[in-house]
Amino acid sequence: MSTHYVTNPGSKGLAVVLNEENYEDLELWYPKLRLVEAGFDTKLVGPKKGQTHKSKNGYWATSDLAFNEVNAAEVKVIVIPGGWCPDRLRRYPECNNLVADVWKAGGVVAFICHGAWVPISAKILKGHRVTSFSAVRDDCENAGATWLDERVVVDGKMVSAQLPDDLPAFMKAILSVVG
């Protein structure tokens, strides 16, 4: 039986940023720091608690929690960075289940660049309007989403963006949706 993390009661709630090897530096750290700044109890979450992953440029990020330590019903927002880490993340059923369960519980699911691969594998894109890095367009459409060539797309509680240059607008949208 796994024990779930208890969110800091003085925060705005739990925010999760997914973490795995070869993440895009800014797409992990900018959302993490902005969510901390906004008052969220923000945790890096990956396959194993305490595991350190390096970005595409060699910068490290250590997971605070493992996927199975997070109670999806407590998550206000989950952010999936790009780079090559989404290709690794989507191979973990526990990761896909966490993303799907956060979505079902009414949390914000946000992804940027190649991050769309995770909600595709979590099977939550069908019928939604999204964007991503252009190379992931076919994957989004094959998953039943309507892909838009826009820098940031908000569809209810789903927020998506294309590139690192879109991070300011991406975070503004996330913080607006999460409230």
Side-chain angles (χ1 to χ4, degrees), residues 31-45:
K32 181 191 187 312
L33 295 173
R34 288 286 291 120
L35 289 162
V36 168
E37 180 182 63
F40 289 90
D41 184 0
T42 307
K43 299 297 179 191
L44 294 179
V45 176

Side-chain angles (χ1 to χ4, degrees), residues 7-175:
T7 305
N8 178 343
S11 72
K12 287 186 175 180
L14 182 58
V16 167
V17 180
L18 295 181
N19 182 25
E20 235 294 4
E21 204 69 20
N22 289 314
Y23 65 87
E24 175 60 46
D25 300 59
L26 288 174
E27 293 173 0
L28 181 142
W29 286 106
Y30 187 86
K32 181 191 187 312
L33 295 173
R34 288 286 291 120
L35 289 162
V36 168
E37 180 182 63
F40 289 90
D41 184 0
T42 307
K43 299 297 179 191
L44 294 179
V45 176
K48 293 181 184 174
K49 179 180 182 174
Q51 188 173 35
T52 299
H53 300 284
K54 289 187 179 175
S55 71
K56 290 175 17 179
N57 297 305
Y59 194 75
W60 57 270
T62 302
S63 295
D64 300 304
L65 301 168
F67 305 126
N68 65 358
E69 293 178 291
V70 178
N71 178 356
E74 296 291 318
V75 177
K76 303 294 183 199
V77 58
I78 189 166
V79 178
I80 305 146
W84 296 112
C85 81
D87 189 38
R88 298 174 68 94
L89 287 166
R90 67 182 175 165
R91 299 175 196 193
Y92 298 100
E94 301 86 357
C95 179
N96 295 327
N97 292 338
L98 176 60
V99 171
D101 291 346
V102 167
W103 180 250
K104 289 175 198 164
V108 175
V109 173
F111 51 92
I112 185 167
C113 200
H114 289 81
W117 280 334
V118 177
I120 288 169
S121 293
K123 305 200 182 331
I124 63 168
L125 286 194
K126 188 173 184 175
H128 293 283
R129 296 175 306 113
V130 301
T131 196
S132 65
F133 183 66
S134 60
V136 184
R137 175 183 181 163
D138 289 349
D139 301 314
C140 292
E141 291 176 341
N142 288 336
T146 299
W147 189 89
L148 303 172
D149 188 11
E150 296 176 16
R151 295 180 69 147
V152 176
V153 173
V154 176
D155 186 356
K157 289 197 170 188
M158 189 173 287
V159 181
S160 54
Q162 293 183 339
L163 301 168
D165 285 347
D166 303 324
L167 281 162
F170 179 59
M171 286 309 303
K172 184 176 180 180
I174 290 169
L175 292 171

